[in-house]
mmCIF file of all heavy atoms in Angstrom:
data_model
loop_
_atom_site.group_PDB
_atom_site.id
_atom_site.type_symbol
_atom_site.label_atom_id
_atom_site.label_comp_id
_atom_site.label_asym_id
_atom_site.label_seq_id
_atom_site.Cartn_x
_atom_site.Cartn_y
_atom_site.Cartn_z
ATOM 1 N N ILE A 1224 -1.632 7.924 6.640
ATOM 2 C CA ILE A 1224 -1.473 7.395 5.284
ATOM 3 C C ILE A 1224 0.026 7.367 4.985
ATOM 4 O O ILE A 1224 0.675 8.408 4.954
ATOM 5 C CB ILE A 1224 -2.205 8.263 4.256
ATOM 6 C CG1 ILE A 1224 -3.691 8.358 4.610
ATOM 7 C CG2 ILE A 1224 -2.019 7.700 2.846
ATOM 8 C CD1 ILE A 1224 -4.441 9.394 3.808
ATOM 9 N N VAL A 1225 0.561 6.182 4.825
ATOM 10 C CA VAL A 1225 1.980 6.029 4.514
ATOM 11 C C VAL A 1225 2.116 5.956 2.996
ATOM 12 O O VAL A 1225 1.614 5.032 2.360
ATOM 13 C CB VAL A 1225 2.563 4.757 5.169
ATOM 14 C CG1 VAL A 1225 4.062 4.668 4.909
ATOM 15 C CG2 VAL A 1225 2.282 4.753 6.669
ATOM 16 N N ASN A 1226 2.767 6.940 2.429
ATOM 17 C CA ASN A 1226 2.925 7.047 0.982
ATOM 18 C C ASN A 1226 4.345 6.635 0.601
ATOM 19 O O ASN A 1226 5.314 7.249 1.027
ATOM 20 C CB ASN A 1226 2.662 8.490 0.540
ATOM 21 C CG ASN A 1226 2.872 8.681 -0.942
ATOM 22 O OD1 ASN A 1226 2.586 7.795 -1.730
ATOM 23 N ND2 ASN A 1226 3.380 9.846 -1.318
ATOM 24 N N TYR A 1227 4.469 5.585 -0.205
ATOM 25 C CA TYR A 1227 5.784 5.086 -0.609
ATOM 26 C C TYR A 1227 6.211 5.695 -1.938
ATOM 27 O O TYR A 1227 5.373 6.060 -2.767
ATOM 28 C CB TYR A 1227 5.763 3.569 -0.689
ATOM 29 C CG TYR A 1227 5.627 2.921 0.675
ATOM 30 C CD1 TYR A 1227 4.371 2.733 1.241
ATOM 31 C CD2 TYR A 1227 6.738 2.538 1.402
ATOM 32 C CE1 TYR A 1227 4.234 2.173 2.504
ATOM 33 C CE2 TYR A 1227 6.608 1.974 2.660
ATOM 34 C CZ TYR A 1227 5.351 1.791 3.208
ATOM 35 O OH TYR A 1227 5.220 1.235 4.451
ATOM 36 N N SER A 1228 7.503 5.786 -2.135
ATOM 37 C CA SER A 1228 8.044 6.494 -3.293
ATOM 38 C C SER A 1228 7.864 5.737 -4.600
ATOM 39 O O SER A 1228 7.986 6.312 -5.674
ATOM 40 C CB SER A 1228 9.539 6.779 -3.074
ATOM 41 O OG SER A 1228 10.252 5.566 -2.885
ATOM 42 N N SER A 1229 7.592 4.451 -4.537
ATOM 43 C CA SER A 1229 7.332 3.685 -5.756
ATOM 44 C C SER A 1229 6.558 2.426 -5.391
ATOM 45 O O SER A 1229 6.400 2.104 -4.214
ATOM 46 C CB SER A 1229 8.647 3.307 -6.466
ATOM 47 O OG SER A 1229 9.447 2.478 -5.649
ATOM 48 N N THR A 1230 6.086 1.734 -6.408
ATOM 49 C CA THR A 1230 5.340 0.505 -6.157
ATOM 50 C C THR A 1230 6.308 -0.653 -5.929
ATOM 51 O O THR A 1230 7.445 -0.631 -6.403
ATOM 52 C CB THR A 1230 4.415 0.176 -7.341
ATOM 53 O OG1 THR A 1230 5.188 0.199 -8.541
ATOM 54 C CG2 THR A 1230 3.291 1.180 -7.438
ATOM 55 N N PRO A 1231 5.873 -1.683 -5.213
ATOM 56 C CA PRO A 1231 6.764 -2.821 -4.935
ATOM 57 C C PRO A 1231 7.043 -3.623 -6.193
ATOM 58 O O PRO A 1231 6.251 -3.645 -7.125
ATOM 59 C CB PRO A 1231 5.965 -3.650 -3.919
ATOM 60 C CG PRO A 1231 4.548 -3.289 -4.181
ATOM 61 C CD PRO A 1231 4.544 -1.850 -4.609
ATOM 62 N N ASP A 1232 8.184 -4.339 -6.216
ATOM 63 C CA ASP A 1232 8.533 -5.134 -7.391
ATOM 64 C C ASP A 1232 8.340 -6.617 -7.137
ATOM 65 O O ASP A 1232 8.801 -7.447 -7.914
ATOM 66 C CB ASP A 1232 9.976 -4.858 -7.825
ATOM 67 C CG ASP A 1232 11.003 -5.332 -6.797
ATOM 68 O OD1 ASP A 1232 10.592 -5.676 -5.676
ATOM 69 O OD2 ASP A 1232 12.198 -5.376 -7.136
ATOM 70 N N ASP A 1233 7.641 -6.961 -6.038
ATOM 71 C CA ASP A 1233 7.452 -8.375 -5.731
ATOM 72 C C ASP A 1233 6.053 -8.860 -6.079
ATOM 73 O O ASP A 1233 5.578 -9.843 -5.527
ATOM 74 C CB ASP A 1233 7.771 -8.663 -4.265
ATOM 75 C CG ASP A 1233 6.951 -7.809 -3.300
ATOM 76 O OD1 ASP A 1233 6.173 -6.966 -3.775
ATOM 77 O OD2 ASP A 1233 7.100 -7.998 -2.077
ATOM 78 N N PHE A 1234 5.364 -8.145 -6.996
ATOM 79 C CA PHE A 1234 4.114 -8.675 -7.523
ATOM 80 C C PHE A 1234 4.421 -9.968 -8.280
ATOM 81 O O PHE A 1234 5.489 -10.108 -8.885
ATOM 82 C CB PHE A 1234 3.473 -7.671 -8.484
ATOM 83 C CG PHE A 1234 2.435 -6.787 -7.844
ATOM 84 C CD1 PHE A 1234 2.670 -6.185 -6.627
ATOM 85 C CD2 PHE A 1234 1.221 -6.567 -8.471
ATOM 86 C CE1 PHE A 1234 1.718 -5.372 -6.037
ATOM 87 C CE2 PHE A 1234 0.257 -5.754 -7.892
ATOM 88 C CZ PHE A 1234 0.506 -5.150 -6.670
ATOM 89 N N PRO A 1235 3.513 -10.946 -8.299
ATOM 90 C CA PRO A 1235 3.729 -12.156 -9.102
ATOM 91 C C PRO A 1235 3.938 -11.794 -10.567
ATOM 92 O O PRO A 1235 3.537 -10.725 -11.024
ATOM 93 C CB PRO A 1235 2.428 -12.946 -8.908
ATOM 94 C CG PRO A 1235 1.835 -12.410 -7.643
ATOM 95 C CD PRO A 1235 2.232 -10.974 -7.572
ATOM 96 N N CYS A 1236 4.525 -12.722 -11.310
ATOM 97 C CA CYS A 1236 4.888 -12.426 -12.700
ATOM 98 C C CYS A 1236 3.676 -12.161 -13.580
ATOM 99 O O CYS A 1236 3.788 -11.536 -14.636
ATOM 100 C CB CYS A 1236 5.725 -13.559 -13.285
ATOM 101 S SG CYS A 1236 4.893 -15.168 -13.295
ATOM 102 N N ASP A 1237 2.481 -12.651 -13.163
ATOM 103 C CA ASP A 1237 1.293 -12.439 -13.987
ATOM 104 C C ASP A 1237 0.507 -11.205 -13.568
ATOM 105 O O ASP A 1237 -0.571 -10.941 -14.100
ATOM 106 C CB ASP A 1237 0.386 -13.670 -13.952
ATOM 107 C CG ASP A 1237 0.058 -14.121 -12.540
ATOM 108 O OD1 ASP A 1237 0.589 -13.510 -11.591
ATOM 109 O OD2 ASP A 1237 -0.721 -15.075 -12.385
ATOM 110 N N LEU A 1238 1.029 -10.435 -12.602
ATOM 111 C CA LEU A 1238 0.401 -9.192 -12.161
ATOM 112 C C LEU A 1238 1.431 -8.073 -12.224
ATOM 113 O O LEU A 1238 2.639 -8.316 -12.251
ATOM 114 C CB LEU A 1238 -0.119 -9.320 -10.724
ATOM 115 C CG LEU A 1238 -1.132 -10.431 -10.442
ATOM 116 C CD1 LEU A 1238 -1.448 -10.483 -8.951
ATOM 117 C CD2 LEU A 1238 -2.403 -10.227 -11.240
ATOM 118 N N LYS A 1239 0.933 -6.829 -12.219
ATOM 119 C CA LYS A 1239 1.850 -5.692 -12.247
ATOM 120 C C LYS A 1239 1.236 -4.525 -11.502
ATOM 121 O O LYS A 1239 0.050 -4.243 -11.654
ATOM 122 C CB LYS A 1239 2.178 -5.302 -13.681
ATOM 123 C CG LYS A 1239 3.405 -4.397 -13.790
ATOM 124 C CD LYS A 1239 3.907 -4.330 -15.213
ATOM 125 C CE LYS A 1239 5.233 -3.590 -15.287
ATOM 126 N NZ LYS A 1239 5.761 -3.544 -16.670
ATOM 127 N N ALA A 1240 2.056 -3.858 -10.680
ATOM 128 C CA ALA A 1240 1.588 -2.720 -9.901
ATOM 129 C C ALA A 1240 1.581 -1.456 -10.756
ATOM 130 O O ALA A 1240 2.358 -1.308 -11.685
ATOM 131 C CB ALA A 1240 2.479 -2.514 -8.676
ATOM 132 N N VAL A 1241 0.676 -0.526 -10.398
ATOM 133 C CA VAL A 1241 0.590 0.735 -11.121
ATOM 134 C C VAL A 1241 0.253 1.840 -10.130
ATOM 135 O O VAL A 1241 -0.475 1.629 -9.158
ATOM 136 C CB VAL A 1241 -0.482 0.673 -12.232
ATOM 137 C CG1 VAL A 1241 -1.867 0.458 -11.649
ATOM 138 C CG2 VAL A 1241 -0.467 1.926 -13.108
ATOM 139 N N GLY A 1242 0.799 3.045 -10.375
ATOM 140 C CA GLY A 1242 0.447 4.193 -9.551
ATOM 141 C C GLY A 1242 1.080 4.155 -8.166
ATOM 142 O O GLY A 1242 2.148 3.586 -7.961
ATOM 143 N N ARG A 1243 0.380 4.752 -7.210
ATOM 144 C CA ARG A 1243 0.903 4.883 -5.861
ATOM 145 C C ARG A 1243 0.767 3.576 -5.078
ATOM 146 O O ARG A 1243 -0.081 2.737 -5.354
ATOM 147 C CB ARG A 1243 0.146 5.989 -5.108
ATOM 148 C CG ARG A 1243 0.216 7.347 -5.755
ATOM 149 C CD ARG A 1243 1.622 7.915 -5.767
ATOM 150 N NE ARG A 1243 1.644 9.275 -6.270
ATOM 151 C CZ ARG A 1243 1.610 10.354 -5.485
ATOM 152 N NH1 ARG A 1243 1.544 10.228 -4.181
ATOM 153 N NH2 ARG A 1243 1.630 11.557 -6.019
ATOM 154 N N TYR A 1244 1.640 3.472 -4.070
ATOM 155 C CA TYR A 1244 1.602 2.355 -3.143
ATOM 156 C C TYR A 1244 1.467 2.947 -1.752
ATOM 157 O O TYR A 1244 2.308 3.734 -1.310
ATOM 158 C CB TYR A 1244 2.873 1.523 -3.283
ATOM 159 C CG TYR A 1244 3.120 0.588 -2.141
ATOM 160 C CD1 TYR A 1244 2.163 -0.362 -1.784
ATOM 161 C CD2 TYR A 1244 4.291 0.645 -1.418
ATOM 162 C CE1 TYR A 1244 2.383 -1.214 -0.726
ATOM 163 C CE2 TYR A 1244 4.522 -0.200 -0.361
ATOM 164 C CZ TYR A 1244 3.567 -1.125 -0.029
ATOM 165 O OH TYR A 1244 3.784 -1.961 1.022
ATOM 166 N N VAL A 1245 0.393 2.627 -1.054
ATOM 167 C CA VAL A 1245 0.111 3.263 0.231
ATOM 168 C C VAL A 1245 -0.226 2.227 1.293
ATOM 169 O O VAL A 1245 -0.602 1.091 0.998
ATOM 170 C CB VAL A 1245 -1.067 4.269 0.116
ATOM 171 C CG1 VAL A 1245 -0.744 5.383 -0.846
ATOM 172 C CG2 VAL A 1245 -2.355 3.561 -0.284
ATOM 173 N N ASP A 1246 -0.082 2.660 2.534
ATOM 174 C CA ASP A 1246 -0.503 1.876 3.689
ATOM 175 C C ASP A 1246 -1.328 2.810 4.569
ATOM 176 O O ASP A 1246 -0.863 3.896 4.933
ATOM 177 C CB ASP A 1246 0.721 1.345 4.444
ATOM 178 C CG ASP A 1246 0.343 0.358 5.538
ATOM 179 O OD1 ASP A 1246 -0.840 -0.031 5.597
ATOM 180 O OD2 ASP A 1246 1.227 -0.031 6.314
ATOM 181 N N ILE A 1247 -2.554 2.419 4.886
ATOM 182 C CA ILE A 1247 -3.450 3.251 5.695
ATOM 183 C C ILE A 1247 -3.561 2.631 7.081
ATOM 184 O O ILE A 1247 -3.934 1.465 7.216
ATOM 185 C CB ILE A 1247 -4.831 3.365 5.031
ATOM 186 C CG1 ILE A 1247 -4.683 3.976 3.635
ATOM 187 C CG2 ILE A 1247 -5.773 4.217 5.885
ATOM 188 C CD1 ILE A 1247 -5.943 3.886 2.795
ATOM 189 N N GLU A 1248 -3.235 3.406 8.096
ATOM 190 C CA GLU A 1248 -3.241 2.908 9.468
ATOM 191 C C GLU A 1248 -4.214 3.733 10.308
ATOM 192 O O GLU A 1248 -4.210 4.960 10.245
ATOM 193 C CB GLU A 1248 -1.838 2.987 10.065
ATOM 194 C CG GLU A 1248 -0.791 2.198 9.266
ATOM 195 C CD GLU A 1248 0.626 2.478 9.731
ATOM 196 O OE1 GLU A 1248 0.800 3.370 10.598
ATOM 197 O OE2 GLU A 1248 1.558 1.820 9.235
ATOM 198 N N VAL A 1249 -5.050 3.047 11.078
ATOM 199 C CA VAL A 1249 -6.028 3.693 11.943
ATOM 200 C C VAL A 1249 -5.623 3.476 13.396
ATOM 201 O O VAL A 1249 -5.383 2.348 13.814
ATOM 202 C CB VAL A 1249 -7.450 3.135 11.701
ATOM 203 C CG1 VAL A 1249 -8.454 3.825 12.617
ATOM 204 C CG2 VAL A 1249 -7.850 3.303 10.248
ATOM 205 N N GLU A 1250 -5.543 4.560 14.150
ATOM 206 C CA GLU A 1250 -5.117 4.461 15.548
ATOM 207 C C GLU A 1250 -6.100 3.624 16.374
ATOM 208 O O GLU A 1250 -5.688 2.783 17.174
ATOM 209 C CB GLU A 1250 -4.992 5.865 16.142
ATOM 210 C CG GLU A 1250 -4.460 5.894 17.567
ATOM 211 C CD GLU A 1250 -4.287 7.317 18.065
ATOM 212 O OE1 GLU A 1250 -5.313 8.023 18.202
ATOM 213 O OE2 GLU A 1250 -3.134 7.716 18.298
ATOM 214 N N ASP A 1251 -7.391 3.833 16.181
ATOM 215 C CA ASP A 1251 -8.415 3.089 16.923
ATOM 216 C C ASP A 1251 -9.425 2.536 15.916
ATOM 217 O O ASP A 1251 -10.355 3.224 15.518
ATOM 218 C CB ASP A 1251 -9.108 3.997 17.943
ATOM 219 C CG ASP A 1251 -10.191 3.268 18.727
ATOM 220 O OD1 ASP A 1251 -10.265 2.021 18.639
ATOM 221 O OD2 ASP A 1251 -10.961 3.954 19.438
ATOM 222 N N GLU A 1252 -9.231 1.271 15.495
ATOM 223 C CA GLU A 1252 -10.104 0.700 14.474
ATOM 224 C C GLU A 1252 -11.531 0.491 14.969
ATOM 225 O O GLU A 1252 -12.460 0.383 14.171
ATOM 226 C CB GLU A 1252 -9.519 -0.620 13.959
ATOM 227 C CG GLU A 1252 -8.248 -0.431 13.138
ATOM 228 C CD GLU A 1252 -7.950 -1.623 12.259
ATOM 229 O OE1 GLU A 1252 -8.772 -2.562 12.213
ATOM 230 O OE2 GLU A 1252 -6.890 -1.616 11.597
ATOM 231 N N SER A 1253 -11.725 0.452 16.292
ATOM 232 C CA SER A 1253 -13.088 0.297 16.819
ATOM 233 C C SER A 1253 -13.927 1.550 16.579
ATOM 234 O O SER A 1253 -15.159 1.510 16.690
ATOM 235 C CB SER A 1253 -13.040 -0.013 18.314
ATOM 236 O OG SER A 1253 -12.536 1.096 19.053
ATOM 237 N N ALA A 1254 -13.270 2.668 16.258
ATOM 238 C CA ALA A 1254 -13.994 3.908 15.963
ATOM 239 C C ALA A 1254 -14.533 3.932 14.539
ATOM 240 O O ALA A 1254 -15.348 4.793 14.203
ATOM 241 C CB ALA A 1254 -13.079 5.108 16.183
ATOM 242 N N ILE A 1255 -14.105 2.988 13.696
ATOM 243 C CA ILE A 1255 -14.507 2.970 12.292
ATOM 244 C C ILE A 1255 -15.758 2.125 12.109
ATOM 245 O O ILE A 1255 -15.854 1.005 12.618
ATOM 246 C CB ILE A 1255 -13.372 2.412 11.411
ATOM 247 C CG1 ILE A 1255 -12.097 3.256 11.601
ATOM 248 C CG2 ILE A 1255 -13.792 2.399 9.950
ATOM 249 C CD1 ILE A 1255 -12.241 4.703 11.252
#
């Protein structure tokens, strides 16, 4: 789980990010 220090600022002008921004990576997706 990659936890970023803030949310991105490149959301479109009609949307807005809130809370945490994360990236979840699975070593072997065939196991899921």
